[in-house]
Amino acid sequence: GDQVEQSPSALSLHEGTGSALRCNFTTTMRAVQWFRKNSRGSLINLFYLASGTKENGRLKSAFDSKERYSTLHIRDAQLEDSGTYFCAAEGAGYNKLTFGKGTVLLVSP
Amino acid sequence: NTKITQSPRYLILGRANKSLECEQHLGHNAMYWYKQSAEKPPELMFLYNLKQLIRNETVPSRFIPECPDSSKLLLHISAVDPEDSAVYFCASSPGNERLFFGHGTKLSVL
């Protein structure tokens, strides 16, 4: 089965609100990355975490290797936050990065 | 992201041969080709680490990677198939770390 389970698959937010995306892992992962695919199709690296939490502006991510999950929190959502968000986790092998299926986020006025 | 450049940006092909090019200006040791179809997650095709190739064995043999030096990556495609229509992303990383993607080449097969 899938090693990375990402949820929700789709999310609608009004401007100014917030929510969280989550990835659960079926095995122990050594690091996680979060990406956003924007309207122009570019894949932007948002975070790389080997442990703990990181914050960048209105985004905050956490990774717990022992509990096998990672989260991406978005607060005060803006229209430009719309896009598809992917988590990707690194397993035991060299750069064996496994992507989640993605979350399609739509932020509306 | 202008530090990983890919060309061409768009490509429309019949059953022809073509090469995609990528160059990274980040000094990274590892370079990758990923394929992303529709709204699926990116799928690793090839990885070069210090010019040593690690391949995904499920990739059809009509895709041939080439790494002429540590900052450049090519993907040669021969006799494309309609199932090859996708966005092909080049990516790089310092090593076993954070991954940076180029803007992608959108391939449409007629």
Side-chain angles (χ1 to χ4, degrees):
Chain A
D2 292 344
Q3 290 185 305
V4 179
E5 298 165 356
Q6 186 172 344
S7 62
S9 58
L11 179 62
S12 291
L13 293 176
H14 288 295
E15 272 186 300
T17 63
S19 189
L21 315 181
R22 185 178 177 104
C23 282
N24 291 326
F25 313 121
T26 56
T27 63
T28 300
M29 300 294 186
R30 82 175 196 92
V32 70
Q33 305 187 48
W34 284 91
F35 299 89
R36 177 176 64 229
K37 190 172 186 184
N38 62 19
S39 57
R40 291 185 296 174
S42 296
L43 275 164
I44 310 298
N45 190 303
L46 302 174
F47 292 104
Y48 174 93
L49 295 101
S51 65
T53 63
K54 284 188 180 178
E55 195 163 353
N56 184 1
R58 296 175 292 99
L59 300 178
K60 182 176 180 179
S61 183
F63 173 50
D64 191 325
S65 175
K66 185 178 177 184
E67 298 299 323
R68 299 183 180 178
Y69 77 90
S70 177
T71 56
L72 177 68
H73 291 260
I74 302 172
R75 63 175 175 83
D76 187 24
Q78 303 297 304
L79 298 178
E80 61 264 29
D81 295 332
S82 296
T84 303
Y85 290 75
F86 293 98
C87 69
E90 207 170 298
Y94 179 84
N95 247 312
K96 188 165 176 59
L97 205 59
T98 303
F99 281 79
K101 286 189 162 64
T103 297
V104 180
L105 172 64
L106 177 64
V107 181
S108 56
Chain B
N1 178 10
T2 58
K3 295 185 177 177
I4 304 178
T5 56
Q6 286 186 243
S7 63
R9 189 71 184 264
Y10 300 94
L11 188 57
I12 300 173
L13 287 179
R15 287 187 63 82
N17 301 340
K18 192 64 180 178
S19 296
L20 310 185
E21 298 182 6
C22 175
E23 184 169 10
Q24 56 102 355
H25 307 277
L26 296 165
H28 289 168
N29 292 330
M31 293 190 74
Y32 313 74
W33 282 113
Y34 277 85
K35 174 184 179 182
Q36 188 173 28
S37 302
E39 291 306 315
K40 295 181 181 177
E43 179 185 354
L44 180 65
M45 299 176 73
F46 303 104
L47 154 63
Y48 276 92
N49 181 39
L50 295 171
K51 298 187 66 179
Q52 182 179 4
L53 173 63
I54 302 168
R55 65 172 59 242
N56 179 343
E57 298 300 331
T58 66
V59 175
S61 59
R62 59 180 178 275
F63 291 90
I64 301 173
E66 181 185 353
C67 187
D69 64 58
S70 58
S71 67
K72 292 190 176 73
L73 198 59
L74 306 173
L75 184 62
H76 306 292
I77 314 173
S78 59
V80 289
D81 189 272
E83 71 180 27
D84 299 334
S85 294
V87 179
Y88 291 83
F89 286 101
C90 173
S92 70
S93 68
N96 204 17
E97 294 175 24
R98 191 171 184 174
L99 195 63
F100 293 90
F101 284 91
H103 53 64
T105 292
K106 186 172 183 178
L107 172 63
S108 299
V109 180
L110 304 175

